[in-house]
Amino acid sequence: MDEAAQRPPPPGPVPADDARFMGEALAVADRALALGEPPVGACIVHAGVVLAAEHNGVIGSPDATAHAEILAIRAACRAVRAPRLDDCVLYATVEPCPMCLAACHYAGIRRVVFGASLDDMHRLTGDECFAPPPSALELAGPVRGDECRALLARWAGALPPGRLPGQP
């Protein structure tokens, strides 16, 4: 049984706002399809206002990281002039990949609403966003770890106590 089949159905009817903002994401996904991109769209909403709506741009850019979610996070951060998107919701037409989920975490996004699952994408394309099958990745380190840690410590030491980077 695949992961999507194991997920419980959402409790009760879909909230009207979720359906409305997924419509925004679907609209930009349609534009992606017209441009020959994977038809994935994402929008970021704060207090009922769309801060950003973007579609996949991996083919036209060409940039393997130009997923709709990443582009929407970048645009929303520019819109609010901050690296944090606390109290924002990300709407994506396809369940975000691990890279995009990590970006949501670092941006402070705590709620993600998606349409199709990654399994749905995999069934149609054979892989996620036309990427080649995963290959072995060599992770080597720490190399000059003491110097790297010292640099991080200097940076962190310059922050006021209790303040995270990017917070006013």
Side-chain angles (χ1 to χ4, degrees):
M1 186 188 282
D2 68 34
E3 186 178 309
Q6 294 176 11
R7 287 194 185 117
V14 173
D17 279 350
D18 285 355
R20 179 174 135 226
F21 294 125
M22 186 60 69
E24 298 273 345
L26 281 164
V28 293
D30 274 337
R31 290 199 293 271
L33 183 62
L35 294 170
E37 295 284 353
V40 179
C43 70
I44 295 181
V45 177
H46 181 264
V49 176
V50 175
L51 298 177
E54 299 288 338
H55 61 73
N56 247 19
V58 296
I59 294 171
S61 36
D63 177 355
T65 68
H67 290 198
E69 302 91 333
I70 299 291
L71 298 176
I73 288 169
R74 290 174 183 165
C77 286
R78 284 191 303 270
V80 299
R81 300 179 66 141
R84 301 280 303 175
L85 298 170
D86 297 316
D87 301 319
C88 288
V89 178
L90 171 78
Y91 292 85
T93 59
V94 176
E95 178 181 3
C97 73
M99 173 184 70
C100 294
L101 288 174
C104 288
H105 167 77
Y106 287 115
I109 295 170
R110 297 288 173 249
R111 183 164 188 258
V112 174
V113 178
F114 67 90
S117 71
L118 276 177
D119 286 338
D120 296 330
M121 173 77 100
H122 287 277
R123 277 193 288 280
L124 293 171
T125 67
D127 51 50
E128 196 251 325
C129 296
F130 311 114
S135 59
L137 173 69
E138 179 184 345
L139 184 61
V143 174
R144 297 180 72 171
D146 290 341
E147 293 169 82
C148 296
R149 284 186 291 278
L151 184 61
L152 287 172
R154 283 192 359 239
W155 168 72
L159 295 173
R163 189 176 135 221
L164 295 173
Q167 289 183 331

